[in-house]
């Protein structure tokens, strides 16, 4: 029974929707971790000068929920999910880059590159992947009566 439900869900979501569902779930969980047990703010001074990490956690949570919701939209309309999914890692990469430039957190360069490649880059790539990349087989020619 669970396998049938998973197949039905995958058939409903497709490749792009499945990616958005997984990505959105991860973003929501990441945001919850900042909300429930915030880590040290190493390299995030640009953000914590504005408000605490608990408040920034809501950026991840809301983006994750919008991304999950977009997984159930038709292709083309799911673009909102990909666009919103880009916001949190871009903000975090910007904060770490600012920390490197200001000399506050030298390790931030590696973290910023990690966010830009494993998050932003993957999301941008996945947004361009068509739902079905294999072309459909051509229909065989019909046998007709010659006139």
């Amino acid at each position: 029974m669970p396998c049938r439900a998973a197949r039905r869900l995958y058939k409903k979501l497709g490749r792009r929707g499945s990616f958005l569902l997984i990505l959105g779930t991860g973003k929501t969980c990441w945001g919850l971790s900042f909300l429930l047990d915030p880590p040290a703010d190493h390299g995030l001074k640009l953000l914590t000068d504005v408000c605490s990490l608990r408040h920034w956690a809501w950026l991840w949570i809301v983006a994750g929920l919008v991304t999950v919701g977009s997984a159930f939209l038709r292709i083309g309309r799911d673009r909102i999910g990909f666009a919103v999914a880009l916001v949190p890692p871009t903000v975090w990469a910007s904060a770490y880059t600012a920390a490197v430039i200001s000399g506050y957190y030298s390790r931030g360069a590696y973290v910023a590159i990690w966010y830009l490649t494993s998050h932003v880059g993957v999301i941008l790539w996945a947004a361009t992947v068509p739902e079905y990349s294999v072309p459909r087989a051509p229909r065989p020619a019909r046998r007709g009566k010659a006139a």
Side-chain angles (χ1 to χ4, degrees):
M1 186 69 156
C3 290
R4 189 179 339 173
R7 280 193 300 271
R8 186 178 303 152
L9 180 64
Y10 180 76
K11 187 174 182 179
K12 165 91 174 124
L13 296 176
R15 289 177 3 172
R16 293 169 58 95
S18 297
F19 178 79
L20 286 170
L21 181 66
I22 293 167
L23 187 67
T25 303
K27 287 188 181 311
T28 304
C29 290
W30 187 247
L32 286 172
S33 76
F34 278 100
L35 186 66
L36 301 174
D37 187 19
D41 63 345
H42 299 298
L44 296 173
K45 185 170 176 18
L46 180 69
L47 301 179
T48 56
D49 284 350
V50 177
C51 58
S52 73
L53 284 179
R54 288 181 190 253
H55 292 97
W56 282 106
W58 287 103
L59 176 68
W60 287 93
I61 294 168
V62 170
L65 294 175
V66 169
T67 303
V68 166
S70 297
F72 296 93
L73 298 176
R74 286 193 339 233
I75 299 168
R77 293 189 178 182
D78 62 355
R79 282 188 217 152
I80 186 76
F82 288 103
V84 170
L86 287 170
V87 174
T90 303
V91 169
W92 251 245
S94 300
Y96 281 115
T97 302
V100 170
I101 292 169
S102 69
Y104 177 70
Y105 189 59
S106 61
R107 187 175 179 268
Y110 304 107
V111 182
I113 291 169
W114 178 73
Y115 271 113
L116 291 173
T117 56
S118 69
H119 288 64
V120 174
V122 171
I123 294 166
L124 289 173
W125 168 79
T128 64
V129 172
E131 184 60 37
Y132 300 103
S133 59
V134 179
R136 294 184 179 184
R139 296 177 83 184
R142 292 186 185 179
R143 289 188 171 205
K145 295 182 180 179

